[in-house]
Amino acid sequence: MKAAAFAYARATSVVNALELLAVHGDKAKVLSGGQSLMPAMNLRLLSPEIVVDIGGLAELRGIAMRGGVLVVGALTRHVDLLRSPEIALHAPLLRDAVSHVAHPAIRNRGTIGGSLAHADPASELPACVVALDATIVARGPTGERRIAATKFFKGIFETALSSDELLVAIEVPVTGQGSTFFFQEYARRHGDYAVVGLAALAVVAAGRFSDLRLGFFAVGDRPLLAAAAGKLVNACVNRGLLAEAAAALTNELDPPEDQQATAAMRRHLATVLLRRCVADLLARPELATGVTK
Amino acid sequence: MTVTRAAADTLSVLDRPNSYIGKTVPRPNLDRLLQGRGQYVSDLELPRMVHAVFLRSPYAHARIVAIDADAARRMSGVIAIVTGRELEAVITPWVGVLLHLKGLKSAPQHAIAVDRVCWQGEAVAAVVATSRAAAEDAMEQIAVDYEELEAVTNMRTALDPATPVIHASLGDNLAFERTLDAGDVDHALSESEVVEAEFVFGRHTGVTLEPRAVVADWNAAEARLTIYQGTQAPHMVQNIAALHLGLREAQVRVVCKDVGGSFGIKVHIYADEMATYALSKLLRRPVKFVADRIESFNTDIHARDHRCRGRIGVRPDGTITAFEIDDLTGIGPYSMYPRTSAIEANQVVNLVGGPYVTPNYRARARVVFQNKNVMCQYRAVGHPIACSVTEGLVDLAAAKIGMDPVEIRRRNLIADDGYPCASPSGMKFEQLSHHASLAKLLQMMDYDALRAEQAALRAQNVYRGIGIASFIEVTNPSAAFYGVGGAKISSQDGVAVRLDAQGSVICQTSITEQGQGSESLTAQIVGSVLGVSMDRVRVTLGDTDNTPYGGGTWASRGAGIGGEAALQAAKVLRRNILDVAAAILQSTPAGLDIVDNRIVNADDGVSRIELNELARIVYFRPDTLPPGIQPELMATRHFVPRQYPFAFTNGVQASWLEVDTETGFVTLLKHWVVEDCGTIINPQLVDEQIRGGVVQGLGAALFEKCVYDERGQLTNANMADYLVPMSGEMPDIEIGHVVSPTLESELGAKGAGEAGTAGAAAAVANAVNDALRPFGATITEIPLTPQVILTALGRI
Ligand SMILES: Cc1cc2nc3c(=O)[nH]c(=O)nc-3n(C[C@H](O)[C@H](O)[C@H](O)COP(=O)(O)OP(=O)(O)OC[C@H]3O[C@@H](n4cnc5c(N)ncnc54)[C@H](O)[C@@H]3O)c2cc1C
């Protein structure tokens, strides 16, 4: 388990990194925290000719509020999300989610940019940015472009980024009054990738949802913003309606089968999560359980 | 601690003043390990050392048509590329059978496959290069032409006439079969309620932190091979390496310093290790092989791939009338060498029903070949199967007659005053303590309060379960285990102790250390018996040139056998020291004692002479000693159990857990163990052995499984997909003891290394079924994954 030989370049600026990517095209790989890239290289699943290390670029770090938008630099590490007061205040969903990502040693290195660019469908952060309606900021040889998170993920390990682009930041709209969130995942062990997970953002007023964004993960080839949520918005939620939403969700999902779960089990767990999420957000515990003996 | 026997009237050698026995003292090797000064083979570098990697078969079963290594051979850093045919000239093949396992058969296995590969992961060629990375680069350039053969993967159909026979010369795929019929099972069952179930166990493996590692160094000038290897049994490795390389044992030295975990994984002889010895001899230079994680999953022995049908007979009053089992296990294409792959099934037959008085017992075990990685002994060999089947059946019987699981055990466990006695399978029990252990367990867990809590929570749709599992454990094996079967695996161990010129003690033992605390227990015993403080006792182990001959550390034998040898050697040295002291002090040996590194008067404790002064006189001024005195400040003793084939221990475990009946996820809330390993030398070491063992059992219960597809591909050979238990999911594990020392040794210690693993999965499975009782679901399969539980609940 040793990586094949590769060249290594430590980028001195974003511009420099982009130049290197332009020269080497898809023979290059960007290195951020290395927590997904290096294992893949050691297993020789990936053998890039050159690794462009952007880890030293201060311009890609930091979390700041800019005109009602929280801008999170691509190199923001998982541990930074966990500890940042800005995140806790304006996007607590990210803080809750990231505590489920791997273990401290990995969170100390892994970055949000790396996680989104890697686009593992079982990852927490991609589903979060979808639920948060965030925007991904990419920079390429021709300049910067903004991609809605809902359009960014294209498939397993596939995104809208091209090989000569860098993901530089994530812009998260700051949520207003009455906004609440929910994060839960089912994983075999703490820190494992989820079997099924849900990152949700909602606006609740007078016991009803005026907005509900349900970002499911590990249920398909990319994070899924469930349309079934629509059934619950501006409606009086009861068991019947919830069952209807669950049925709609089941139809919407086309989950993969793997060693942890069959497709049927993933559908089932997604509906459990849906019920528990709605019960939690509306503070109505009686909606949580569908258990019948 | 509950002591089941009255203490002797006089103080034993173990109860001397300042004894370390029974005390938690820090392990003497801790600082070395914590400061990064451990001597692991993985870290070893020798001059001119080269690295071997093995090109491994991607197929479970295939004929090797051609190997083209020309391009690889030309790559930079490559020293040699060696195939099975070429290596055959250096090392002979082997067959993993034992005479006392009647009918056990296997085929010759080569260090590197010749003509045919029989499992995915079997080595096809070795690449030797100046670095591991260079060897891996070259390996990618070797082209092997395979002709894929049909793979036998399903053990249930392995014996069907339509299934291909893996080794034509053997005639069929049956490696071993054993049957047993004691009492009158049919009669007993005909007069009882009968409950039946099939128990299914996931194949899993040991996952050591440090993978298997070996450096072999053939010194042509001395005609001697030095093998540095993380092994549990250095003398066994010496014997086998010599045998197959055509050397005398004296030409092979095995050195084994620190080992990063073993769990039984490193007590076997692996083909790639044999190949590494041979490569060193062939290339006349040191060759290193360290398995990487994928190789570990594909080649470290697997274990516990069993399907076992079980039946139990029970009367309305709770009397268990009979046990019956039909066990089937698939062991891969070869019986492992030299301990064989039949021991596990054999143990299952030996142990089922073992804690109970039930005299009627019928068993059949069949061991079949398949094209998967080899299976063999892993921590608690056979015990988890036997315990899960027995305890699962007992709980099913209790449920059938509406009796509490504790009550049915109380009515059937062998009485604590019923010893010595034997089980229907012929196992001899010297002294066990099932009832005292159960009583202690119930008190520790507050059983009645837990039952009340369980009932209250059920009303709120929270489903918790309690699972109990009594167990017996084979420890301190005599020659009955391997020796009688013809294997050169020593069941005796030796210890040499000597007083150095400054009154410190050097102790060489043939047991080995892989983290259990062998060094510590040896130093504790020697220090206590001699009256020398532990910081003055230095323990050397793991070197066939520098320790007495012995078995090593496995089968929960280090403390009981090696510890007794240490005790006896220290007693002799003590006598010898007192003889000299009496001569110097013009006293009598009986009038003197050794306490705190000095000779004192036995009666009033007055200090007479420091040990270092005594040593100075003996070594440098023997001229001042009275004539006729020849001091012997070195003593060696060996020990082997003779009276009982095994020193059985016993215990009971309990699990308290919650099942989320909507998601199928299990949360372990608490685990309790009460066990009886006889004399406890170091309570903390014993408790941590048990905790570690429990964790491995919990891994089997909930997480660990080698997942093979129908073509014999191991599909989860990595740490992301093969789930080892991690601390986040582990409950607090509380441990209690009952002490019934064995009278076969003065030390009285039995083993404790496997007790935790033996019963943990059974306790968890019983607890899950207890939690699911309101749903009428019973699961007799592990690991108990959410998928399995949701399926049983009919939710998916
Ligand atoms: C044991 C273990 C457990 C883990 N568990 C989880 C988990 O439960 N959930 C989870 O979500 N993740 C998990 N991870 C992955 C971890 O979160 C990674 O940190 C993350 O997926 C990638 O971030 P990185 O900064 O390490 O990226 P890298 O590994 O450096 O890169 C990942 C990929 O993204 C590309 N890339 C990186 N940065 C950029 C950029 N700025 N622009 C364009 N492309 C870029 C790289 O070229 C590469 O292809 C785990 C990892 C390990 C080792």
Side-chain angles (χ1 to χ4, degrees), chain A residues 29-30 32-37 78 102 106 110-111 117 123-124 167 191 193:
Chain A
K29 271 279 169 197
V30 174
S32 285
Q35 299 305 293
S36 294
L37 182 60
H78 302 334
I106 293 149
T111 67
S123 264
E124 290 81 358
L167 191 163
Y193 282 101

Side-chain angles (χ1 to χ4, degrees), chain B residues 10-17 19-21 524-525 527-531 564 567-568 570-571 574 746-747:
Chain B
T10 53
L11 284 185
S12 78
V13 286
L14 306 175
D15 309 315
R16 292 165 30 76
S19 170
Y20 296 103
I21 308 298
Q524 281 179 260
I525 293 167
S528 301
V529 174
L530 278 179
E564 177 68 7
L567 184 150
Q568 296 302 337
K571 272 175 73 179
R574 180 184 143 78
E746 206 170 333
L747 182 61

